[in-house]
């Protein structure tokens, strides 16, 4: 039996992204003529037949973009990354005269997949921006299979448009700073271990210690929730194990650690991510990596709706804010 031609096959043959093929199929105006001709030629060569989603998008636009958030409203809207990125996404979508639909999943990935599938099958959205990537992300796999225009913030394993920081390099440089400040026994405290961003930052941590020939093992690696309470609770373990420094993946965790160390009258060097007000006003100085969440959000919209059809990803620079 002859294998069914997919939108991925057309994209590969035309040398463009899956999202661009979807735009051509959907008759979107923001595709230049040469790109449109390349895609149409690939469609003609392969005999590709668009699925029901693409056909629906071609005949009816909802002018609504879904933004997928992998946690509850309380946790996400209490985290500066989501606040800043959503502000930028909302502002940019408004410029394109698009509405935003927030989809919360509370870290229940089965629930996330179900909600996204329902939205697409009922033709309620024109595109998706997903604010995180999990290992073996089933939601992204499904989005790719439907051909709906999609951008993710993070490092996906699928052929999908994305915007990201170089999180491995950023954490490597952050950890090297701790080492330059005399760090000898350094812990890593990350968020959800299912998130690719956590794993990428852990890799950077390991690379920095390997390069400096500083001892560590898996017992130096901790995974906690993205909350102040999580950091506060893990701090006692760090104190018991005499760590002199800690590299965190989020300022919320770092602030909780600093708060507990300060209560105990203990000292520790801390570096983290997101450069929030918490890191600025912490009782123990927290150096922090500014990931430019607003630019991540803005670039996500530009990739989704902009006219640069050959651009498949964007990497946003980071900047360490040193505090002592």
């Amino acid at each position: 039996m002859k294998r069914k031609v997919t939108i991925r096959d057309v994209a590969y043959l035309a040398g463009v992204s899956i999202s661009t093929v979807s735009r051509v199929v959907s008759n979107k105006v923001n595709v230049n003529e040469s790109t449109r001709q390349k895609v149409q030629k690939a469609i003609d060569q392969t005999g590709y037949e668009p699925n029901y989603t693409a056909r629906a998008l071609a005949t009816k636009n909802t002018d609504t973009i879904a933004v997928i958030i992998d946690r509850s409203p309380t946790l996400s809207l209490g985290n500066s990354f989501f606040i800043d990125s959503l502000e930028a996404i909302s502002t940019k979508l408004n410029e394109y005269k698009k509405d935003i639909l927030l989809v919360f999943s509370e870290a229940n990935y089965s629930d996330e997949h179900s909600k996204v599938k329902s939205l697409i099958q009922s033709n309620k959205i024109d595109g998706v921006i997903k604010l995180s990537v999990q290992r073996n992300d089933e939601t992204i796999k499904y989005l790719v299979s439907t051909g709906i225009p999609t951008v993710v913030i993070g490092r996906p394993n699928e052929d999908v448009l994305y915007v990201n920081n170089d999180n491995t390099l950023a954490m490597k440089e952050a950890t090297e700073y701790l080492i330059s400040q005399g760090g000898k026994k350094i812990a890593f405290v990350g968020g959800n271990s299912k998130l690719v961003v956590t794993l990428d930052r852990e890799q950077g941590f390991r690379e920095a210690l390997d390069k400096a020939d500083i001892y560590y093992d898996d017992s130096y690696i901790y995974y906690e929730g993205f909350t102040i309470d999580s950091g506060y609770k893990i701090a006692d373990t760090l104190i018991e194990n005499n760590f002199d420094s800690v590299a965190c993946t989020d300022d919320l965790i770092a602030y909780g650690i600093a708060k507990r160390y300060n209560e105990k009258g203990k000292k520790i060097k801390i570096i983290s991510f997101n450069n929030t007000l918490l890191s600025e006003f912490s009782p123990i100085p927290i150096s922090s990596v500014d990931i430019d969440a607003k630019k991540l959000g803005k670039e996500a919209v530009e990739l989704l709706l902009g006219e640069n059809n050959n651009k498949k990803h964007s990497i946003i620079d980071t900047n360490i804010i040193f505090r002592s």
Side-chain angles (χ1 to χ4, degrees):
M1 179 180 294
K2 187 177 180 181
R3 183 175 71 86
K4 182 179 179 181
V5 177
T6 68
I7 193 170
R8 186 192 297 273
D9 298 323
V10 175
Y12 179 80
L13 184 60
V16 299
S17 68
I18 290 173
S19 182
T20 297
V21 176
S22 181
R23 288 174 184 164
V24 172
V25 168
S26 303
N27 252 345
K28 300 288 177 138
V29 297
N30 56 338
V31 181
N32 64 55
E33 188 56 32
S34 63
T35 299
R36 188 181 298 276
Q37 290 177 5
K38 283 197 300 183
V39 172
Q40 190 57 56
K41 182 179 179 181
I43 290 173
D44 293 341
Q45 288 177 337
T46 59
Y48 171 66
E49 295 181 359
N51 62 21
Y52 72 91
T53 303
R55 287 197 298 270
L57 287 174
T59 58
K60 181 181 178 182
N61 291 339
T62 67
D63 288 327
T64 300
I65 303 300
V67 177
I68 313 301
I69 304 169
D70 69 349
R71 58 203 70 179
S72 70
T74 300
L75 289 179
S76 57
L77 299 179
N79 185 303
S80 68
F81 165 73
F82 292 107
I83 294 171
D84 289 346
S85 58
L86 285 172
E87 178 187 342
I89 289 169
S90 300
T91 300
K92 203 66 186 174
L93 285 177
N94 189 56
E95 292 178 12
Y96 280 100
K97 302 188 184 307
K98 302 292 183 183
D99 295 324
I100 184 172
L101 174 65
L102 301 183
V103 181
F104 299 95
S105 68
E106 305 196 28
N108 182 330
Y109 302 126
S110 175
D111 180 52
E112 174 184 275
H113 183 82
S114 176
K115 287 179 177 178
V116 170
K117 188 174 183 179
S118 175
L119 286 171
I120 293 175
Q121 291 184 343
S122 58
N123 300 315
K124 291 182 178 179
I125 55 175
D126 291 343
V128 173
I129 298 174
K130 193 171 185 297
L131 300 188
S132 63
V133 182
Q134 290 82 44
R135 289 184 293 180
N136 302 314
D137 198 310
E138 294 299 325
T139 300
I140 294 178
K141 290 178 182 178
Y142 173 73
L143 289 168
V144 169
S145 73
T146 68
I148 190 167
T150 300
V151 175
V152 302
I153 295 182
R155 181 177 60 81
N157 292 320
E158 301 297 314
D159 181 17
V160 65
L161 300 176
Y162 70 92
V163 56
N164 198 19
N165 308 113
D166 188 337
N167 284 291
T168 299
L169 177 61
M171 180 57 92
K172 181 179 179 182
E173 292 175 345
T175 306
E176 287 174 343
Y177 172 70
L178 292 178
I179 295 169
S180 74
Q181 297 302 297
K184 299 295 183 185
K185 188 174 183 181
I186 307 174
F188 171 89
V189 182
N192 189 335
S193 62
K194 293 181 180 179
L195 292 173
V196 171
V197 65
T198 300
L199 302 178
D200 285 349
R201 290 175 183 173
E202 179 188 332
Q203 179 62 30
F205 171 80
R206 291 176 180 270
E207 287 180 7
L209 295 187
D210 287 340
K211 180 180 177 182
D213 197 25
I214 292 178
Y215 177 80
Y216 71 96
D217 58 38
D218 288 345
S219 69
Y220 287 39
I221 309 293
Y222 302 89
Y223 304 110
E224 298 295 328
F226 291 101
T227 65
I228 293 173
D229 285 346
S230 294
Y232 186 89
K233 291 174 182 177
I234 197 62
D236 284 332
T237 300
L238 301 180
I239 292 170
E240 290 169 6
N241 286 280
N242 298 310
F243 288 103
D244 58 49
S245 309
V246 59
C248 301
T249 62
D250 192 287
D251 281 350
L252 289 168
I253 301 171
Y255 184 84
I257 292 172
K259 181 179 179 182
R260 183 58 172 163
Y261 266 79
N262 187 59
E263 289 177 356
K264 289 279 194 175
K266 300 288 186 178
K267 294 182 179 180
I268 191 167
K269 298 180 182 68
I270 307 175
I271 199 160
S272 185
F273 276 70
N274 293 343
N275 189 35
T276 66
L277 287 175
L278 288 175
S279 62
E280 187 173 350
F281 296 109
S282 169
I284 292 176
I286 299 176
S287 296
S288 191
V289 179
D290 190 333
I291 64 171
D292 205 346
K294 289 185 178 180
K295 191 168 184 179
L296 286 167
K298 177 182 176 182
E299 285 293 304
V301 176
E302 288 292 352
L303 279 179
L304 187 70
L305 301 175
E307 296 183 359
N308 191 349
N309 308 121
N310 294 319
K311 190 174 184 180
K312 296 187 177 182
H313 69 270
S314 180
I315 302 298
I316 305 303
D317 290 337
T318 58
N319 181 41
I320 301 177
I321 308 301
F322 301 105
R323 298 185 177 95
S324 59

